[in-house]
Amino acid sequence: MTSIGARVPGRKNAFTRWVHSFAGYKKHAALTLMLLPVVLYFFIFKYIPMGGIVIAFKNYKISQGIFGSAWCGMDNFTKAFATSTFKRSVWNTLSISGLKLLFGFPAPIILALMLNEVTHLRFKKTVQTISYLPHFLSWVVLAGMFQQLLSPNNGAVNAILRDVFGVQKSIYFLGDNKYFRGTLIATDIWKNVGWSSILYLATISGIDPTLYEAATVDGATRWQCTRYITLPSLLSTIVIMLILSVGSIMDAGFDQVFNLYNSAVYQTGDIIDTYVYRYGIGDMKYSLATAVGLFKNVIAFVLVVGTNLVARKISGEGIW
């Protein structure tokens, strides 16, 4: 039987660690104070609203409030799972996110590797600046731009296809289910590829240059240096970004889809977030929308944990 006295050292060690931790925060009081607004932001806007999750298990009525509304158990989930529109939104979310992961995830890595090979400094900075700029434009602005560029009547893209490539029939990029998903993938990559490459470029800049010098002396080509030095050095960063990307696979990009889609492309463009918006805000079915949102977040959590475990098994790298 474990005596009370045997537990004291453990408690003492825990207390000692807590004292050292507090002393560390006190030593870096200025940095701790700078972190405080971020902590308050997440606490107020991320953690406190989590109390509203109970709406998913209630027949919520505004007049009765969250605590006054009657409990209904899993009825909201059952209703959502039984509708064809919900099943369609889940499939569209997985399809769009999967395509973005397949084509969009390697794009910034490739761009970073290409920029790393550019020796002309002014040209390199120009390319970086041009590729970064779209990230700072909101999808509200970009949606207006793409609607003009991709217009089937007088859009620049259709004009180029007609005059240069001889395509006589106009393509409805934003109004045809056949082309809508491809348009989403292409515009998302164009907007985010430059910004996403920053992390990889920063990692590449931290690689010891003597490794490249030694490889060059041994007769290695630029491609061999990239394959055996640059890519292995990027592995940990790639794994972490992949885990985060897989964790976001249930988030197909509400801002982008909401500003670009219309009723003609609901079949391929209606995702979980737009489904929640229409039913929750438009039709005021708050309980149903909350249940769907909770379902989405639980799946995303499972994906993050699962991907992290798989990554640690394969490469030994992970978030935790």
Side-chain angles (χ1 to χ4, degrees):
M1 181 180 296
T2 304
S3 63
I4 298 177
R7 301 177 188 174
V8 174
R11 292 181 179 178
K12 186 176 181 181
N13 291 337
F15 178 75
T16 303
R17 289 195 298 270
W18 182 84
V19 170
H20 286 309
S21 177
F22 179 77
Y25 285 119
K26 187 176 181 181
K27 180 180 179 181
H28 303 286
L31 297 176
T32 305
L33 188 62
M34 292 173 63
L35 182 64
L36 184 60
V38 178
V39 175
L40 290 175
Y41 166 79
F42 279 97
F43 179 73
I44 295 174
F45 295 103
K46 301 296 182 180
Y47 284 93
I48 293 180
M50 289 176 67
I53 291 175
V54 296
I55 296 176
F57 306 96
K58 289 193 169 190
N59 184 17
Y60 176 71
K61 297 184 183 299
I62 296 179
S63 59
Q64 297 176 357
I66 295 178
F67 300 103
S69 300
W71 292 93
C72 65
M74 303 294 290
D75 288 352
N76 292 315
F77 294 91
T78 304
K79 291 178 182 177
F81 296 160
T83 60
S84 59
T85 52
F86 171 75
K87 296 175 182 177
R88 181 187 65 189
S89 68
V90 173
W91 171 249
N92 289 338
T93 300
L94 294 175
S95 300
I96 294 172
S97 296
L99 289 171
K100 285 184 177 180
L101 185 64
L102 179 63
F103 296 102
F105 182 78
I109 302 175
I110 295 172
L111 178 61
L113 293 174
M114 293 174 64
L115 288 174
N116 185 55
E117 298 300 318
V118 176
T119 56
H120 195 288
L121 187 59
R122 181 172 295 180
F123 176 76
K124 181 177 181 179
K125 289 185 176 180
T126 302
V127 173
Q128 285 179 301
T129 302
I130 294 174
S131 63
Y132 294 166
L133 285 178
H135 175 79
F136 299 99
L137 299 176
S138 97
W139 276 113
V140 177
V141 176
L142 292 177
M145 293 173 52
F146 287 128
Q147 286 170 2
Q148 295 296 322
L149 291 172
L150 302 176
S151 172
N153 299 321
N154 54 2
V157 175
N158 272 295
I160 294 173
L161 292 175
R162 181 176 59 253
D163 299 338
V164 177
F165 297 97
V167 179
Q168 298 302 319
K169 187 178 180 180
S170 296
I171 298 176
Y172 290 76
F173 290 98
L174 300 178
D176 190 336
N177 286 300
K178 183 179 179 181
Y179 299 101
F180 185 70
R181 282 183 185 169
T183 303
L184 289 178
I185 309 308
T187 53
D188 181 76
I189 293 175
W190 174 80
K191 183 179 188 295
N192 296 310
V193 64
W195 181 259
S196 300
S197 67
I198 293 177
L199 185 60
Y200 300 108
L201 286 170
T203 305
I204 291 174
S205 66
I207 300 175
D208 189 354
T210 57
L211 295 175
Y212 293 104
E213 295 173 2
T216 303
V217 171
D218 290 339
T221 62
R222 294 300 303 173
W223 165 244
Q224 290 174 327
C225 289
T226 300
R227 180 180 177 182
Y228 296 107
I229 298 176
T230 308
L231 284 175
S233 300
L234 286 174
L235 181 60
S236 60
T237 304
I238 292 173
V239 169
I240 291 174
M241 297 305 296
L242 179 61
I243 293 172
L244 296 176
S245 297
V246 172
S248 303
I249 203 169
M250 297 299 289
D251 183 9
F254 172 76
D255 290 343
Q256 179 192 20
V257 177
F258 182 73
N259 285 287
L260 290 177
Y261 88 144
N262 53 74
S263 58
V265 291
Y266 276 180
Q267 182 180 347
T268 56
D270 187 29
I271 60 175
I272 293 178
D273 289 333
T274 54
Y275 174 90
V276 169
Y277 174 83
R278 286 203 319 278
Y279 279 86
I281 304 299
D283 297 343
M284 294 190 295
K285 297 179 180 179
Y286 302 112
S287 296
L288 181 66
T290 305
V292 174
L294 179 59
F295 163 79
K296 168 193 165 183
N297 291 328
V298 170
I299 297 299
F301 174 76
V302 172
L303 287 173
V304 169
V305 175
T307 308
N308 186 71
L309 291 175
V310 173
R312 290 190 67 86
K313 289 289 185 180
I314 296 176
S315 65
E317 301 285 347
I319 297 178
W320 67 86

